[in-house]
Amino acid sequence: MKTYTLKVAGLTRELPLCPVSDELDIAAFIMFSDVELTVECAKALLEKAPEFDVILTAETKGIPLGYEASRQSGKKYIVARKSVKLYMTDPIAVNVKSITTEGVQTLYLSSEDAAELKGRKVLILDDVISTGESLIALEKLVAAAGGTVAASAAVLAEGKAADRDDIIFLEKLPVFPK
């Protein structure tokens, strides 16, 4: 299997290349189960982040990073869910089409979580920003809840996202045309 050598937050990882189409492969960056990577990336992102009140991340891959950034900063983190759960009241919903998921998905915030964002500066965290669609969905949730985005940050900026100047990221992640 082909891999890409990633150096981030003082660590080195071999990422497998995975096909997303007949023309393109991407390097699979998975933080799950890699506690060392999650801890160091959260620390490095918090050092770059402006002042914020609360963290927002998307289910599922952003959860370990959001948790660890919350633990290190002492600030609450909230997860935008991919489905409505029984305990969620009056959820806010936005649609998103990500490069790593098939079809359109919807992200939800319960009214209780939305209340935590209202009038507060929100740090949006994710593992990878690629097309920016997930980021846009999270920004829409913050706006709908009445919060303001303090910054949007990710461990990696993939492909053209690395050219953006409106996001915080630790390293560039190339894409691999076939």
Side-chain angles (χ1 to χ4, degrees):
M1 173 179 267
K2 292 182 184 179
T3 63
Y4 171 74
T5 303
L6 174 69
K7 294 180 186 298
V8 63
L11 302 171
T12 302
R13 297 294 187 267
E14 288 297 321
L15 308 182
L17 297 186
C18 301
V20 292
S21 71
D22 291 338
E23 296 84 33
L24 185 68
D25 288 348
I26 61 171
F29 179 68
I30 309 297
M31 296 183 79
F32 290 129
S33 303
D34 194 334
V35 175
E36 178 186 37
L37 182 68
T38 303
V39 168
E40 293 305 316
C41 289
K43 179 181 175 185
L45 283 170
L46 288 171
E47 288 171 359
K48 290 183 156 206
E51 184 180 329
F52 66 94
D53 301 312
V54 64
I55 297 165
L56 177 65
T57 192
E59 187 176 49
T60 300
K61 289 171 43 180
I63 293 173
L65 183 64
Y67 167 83
E68 183 57 27
S70 174
R71 189 188 70 75
Q72 289 183 28
S73 68
K75 307 283 176 86
K76 183 172 184 165
Y77 82 105
I78 293 171
V79 178
R81 304 298 305 260
K82 290 183 179 176
S83 62
V84 175
K85 305 301 179 190
L86 294 175
Y87 59 81
M88 296 173 84
T89 56
D90 300 319
I92 298 170
V94 297
N95 292 326
V96 60
K97 171 69 177 107
S98 169
I99 191 171
T100 56
T101 52
E102 197 169 317
V104 174
Q105 292 187 321
T106 305
L107 293 178
Y108 301 91
L109 278 181
S110 69
S111 60
E112 295 83 5
D113 285 341
E116 292 283 344
L117 302 182
K118 186 174 183 175
R120 302 186 75 199
K121 294 180 278 188
V122 181
L123 175 62
I124 296 174
L125 284 182
D126 210 349
D127 60 337
V128 179
I129 296 175
S130 184
T131 63
E133 293 300 318
S134 298
L135 181 64
I136 291 168
L138 290 169
E139 290 170 346
K140 286 179 180 178
L141 283 175
V142 171
T148 57
V149 175
S152 296
V155 175
L156 304 173
E158 184 174 54
K160 292 180 182 177
D163 298 332
R164 295 176 58 164
D165 60 6
D166 64 328
I167 59 174
I168 296 168
F169 61 93
L170 300 179
E171 296 295 334
K172 297 177 183 180
L173 183 63
V175 295
F176 303 88
K178 295 182 184 177

